[in-house]
Amino acid sequence: MNKQYICPVCGYEGLKDPPYSETREPSYEICPCCGFEFGFDTENCKDSYSKFRLKWIENGASWFLPDKKPKDWDLNKQLKNIG
Ligand SMILES: [Zn+2]
C-alpha cells in the first residue's frame, strides 16, 4: 500500500504526494476534499492554509471531487488530523 499524506488545509488523509517535498518543491496536487492546489493557490504558509480552510468551511465544506467522499465522512473528525 502506498503511503498517503494528510492535507494541511482540511485534514484529508489520502494525498498521493507530500504537499511539499524536502526541497520545498510543491506537488501541484489538488486535494480531492477541499480543492487546495499545493504550489498554486498560495505559498507554503500556515496562515494561508487556515484562511483557505475557513473560506472552504464557510462555503459549506463541499468536496472538490465528490466521488471521493466517503459515506461516513465527518468534517470535525477529519479536522482533528491537523490539530
Ligand atoms: Zn484538503
Side-chain angles (χ1 to χ4, degrees), residues 9 26 28 46 54 58 67-68:
V9 177
Y28 294 105
K46 277 192 178 154
L54 281 174
E58 261 175 33
D67 288 0
K68 299 257 184 188

Side-chain angles (χ1 to χ4, degrees), residues 7 10 31 34:
C7 172
C10 68
C31 175
C34 66

Side-chain angles (χ1 to χ4, degrees), residues 7-12 15 31-36 38 78:
C7 172
V9 177
C10 68
Y12 172 72
L15 298 179
C31 175
C33 182
C34 66
F36 192 92
F38 301 100
Q78 183 176 285

Side-chain angles (χ1 to χ4, degrees), residues 25-46:
E25 281 293 313
S27 68
Y28 294 105
E29 184 174 357
I30 299 175
C31 175
C33 182
C34 66
F36 192 92
E37 184 174 352
F38 301 100
F40 180 78
D41 281 319
T42 47
E43 296 296 307
N44 184 12
C45 154
K46 277 192 178 154

Side-chain angles (χ1 to χ4, degrees), residues 7 12 15 25-26 29 45 47-48 51-52 55 57 59 68 76 81 83:
C7 172
Y12 172 72
L15 298 179
E25 281 293 313
E29 184 174 357
C45 154
D47 199 43
S48 46
K51 269 188 205 145
F52 191 96
K55 220 173 104 193
I57 292 170
N59 289 327
K68 299 257 184 188
N76 290 321
N81 287 337

